Amino acid sequence: MTHTRARTFRAATMMAAGAILLGGAAACGSSGGSGGASTIRFGVVSPNADLTPLYVAADQGFFKKAGLNVEITNFTGGGASSSAALASGAVDVASGGPGSFLGSIAKKAISGKIFAQLVDQSYDVVATKGITDMAALKGRSIGVSGINSNDHMYLTAVLAHYGISPHDVTFLNTGTPSNRYAALSSGKIQATAEPDSQRTASEGVGKVLLEATKSPVRAPGQVFYAEGDYLKAHAKTLKTFMSVMYKTVAWVKDPKNQKAAVASCAKGSGTAAKVCAEVIGFSGDPSKAGPYTWSSTFAVNPAGMRQSINAAATLIPEAKSLTVGNVVDSSITGTKP
């Protein structure tokens, strides 16, 4: 029997060197002492410009002003590394695509829930310029942020729609968006999934084979997850965190703040400034990005989550039993936008 071919292009669970402390002076544990700042140890799966509000709130001191010490650690490796960090207690909260958490929830490796959504369906399928249709991806090498990561699950579900099984392609762990672009440009991969918010960058190295708005699979691109014990014990801290995020999005959308927002995005995510500017322009415009991206509530799109669960089940059979209620806690963000 032929097995899915998955080769490691970059170490899947290698954490970035050291934590990036962007939210103020470090405190011990999940909350400071009397009168001290509440600490959130926040893990970012695959740093990217879609997380601009998070990086801006940290870099501009908005978290600190709200009495929060947000310790941000950027790391790579998709679902495997995020689950390991959460299960070990290295981080309390993490951001990533739903697929970064759903498989581990289904396997009971972690026991928390998704409590907010930052970005809705956003993946363009991007290919080398010689590829003209989805059927031509059969037999090709496709780059993903990590094996069993959100984009891996998404691409597997999309390919299935076009009659291509995981056994028909080679998935390569190529890490962050900038690394995937480099691999696409060099020919090491022939396709990948990238946010539509940075389509100009995608078109600079390849062609958009399938636009996000035309995809048969519409699953959220970025969500926030917290372990169960942390979610119960620190709901007030998480609500304060989300309140800062709401205000930060409004700040980022203000044209007079764009230069500073771009700088914070580039500093936090390691993304080129021009890509940060493109993402801010796209994601800050509801008419382009839709109601569930950088929204006023950061509520989770339930229809999108159902598709995420279905996509996860294409690689992880245990996920078939999950429901939106199993994996989403709406008490932090309230009603949907």
Side-chain angles (χ1 to χ4, degrees), residues 200-270:
T200 299
S202 295
E203 291 174 339
V205 295
K207 65 175 293 182
V208 175
L209 199 61
L210 178 66
E211 293 184 359
T213 55
K214 298 177 181 178
S215 175
V217 179
R218 301 189 59 77
Q222 286 284 339
V223 297
F224 292 159
Y225 168 96
E227 270 295 82
D229 289 345
Y230 188 89
L231 198 56
K232 292 177 182 177
H234 300 283
K236 184 177 179 180
T237 296
L238 290 176
K239 287 181 179 180
T240 300
F241 172 86
M242 292 311 304
S243 177
V244 174
M245 292 292 290
Y246 306 150
K247 295 173 183 177
T248 301
V249 165
W251 188 91
V252 169
K253 290 178 181 179
D254 189 331
K256 73 174 182 290
N257 299 322
Q258 184 170 19
K259 184 176 180 179
V262 167
S264 293
C265 166
K267 177 181 176 182
S269 68

Side-chain angles (χ1 to χ4, degrees), residues 37-239:
S38 296
T39 294
I40 300 176
R41 296 172 300 173
F42 198 107
V44 174
V45 181
S46 189
N48 63 85
D50 280 339
L51 290 161
T52 291
L54 175 70
Y55 292 120
V56 167
D59 191 45
Q60 297 295 324
F62 299 155
F63 286 136
K64 187 175 181 180
K65 290 177 183 177
L68 298 178
N69 172 41
V70 180
E71 301 176 356
I72 299 177
T73 301
N74 289 335
F75 57 98
T76 61
S81 56
S82 62
S83 293
L86 288 161
S88 69
V91 297
D92 307 306
V93 178
S95 67
S100 299
F101 313 110
L102 292 176
S104 295
I105 292 172
K107 291 181 175 181
K108 303 188 185 307
I110 55 177
S111 59
K113 288 190 176 183
I114 292 163
F115 67 88
Q117 178 175 309
L118 185 66
V119 177
D120 207 16
Q121 156 62 15
S122 65
Y123 287 130
D124 287 336
V125 177
V126 184
T128 52
K129 294 181 179 179
I131 295 175
T132 58
D133 56 45
M134 292 294 291
L137 293 179
K138 190 172 183 177
R140 307 286 185 163
S141 294
I142 299 178
V144 295
S145 61
I147 302 305
N148 287 346
S149 60
N150 195 63
D151 53 337
H152 183 197
M153 293 176 184
Y154 170 80
L155 285 164
T156 299
V158 169
L159 290 172
H161 180 84
Y162 291 95
I164 302 173
S165 82
H167 309 295
D168 294 328
V169 299
T170 299
F171 285 107
L172 300 179
N173 181 346
T174 42
T176 63
S178 59
N179 289 336
R180 297 198 296 273
Y181 281 140
L184 189 68
S185 182
S186 69
K188 290 180 179 177
I189 60 174
Q190 289 77 58
T192 186
E194 299 299 336
D196 55 355
S197 58
Q198 54 189 56
R199 188 169 291 164
T200 299
S202 295
E203 291 174 339
V205 295
K207 65 175 293 182
V208 175
L209 199 61
L210 178 66
E211 293 184 359
T213 55
K214 298 177 181 178
S215 175
V217 179
R218 301 189 59 77
Q222 286 284 339
V223 297
F224 292 159
Y225 168 96
E227 270 295 82
D229 289 345
Y230 188 89
L231 198 56
K232 292 177 182 177
H234 300 283
K236 184 177 179 180
T237 296
L238 290 176
K239 287 181 179 180

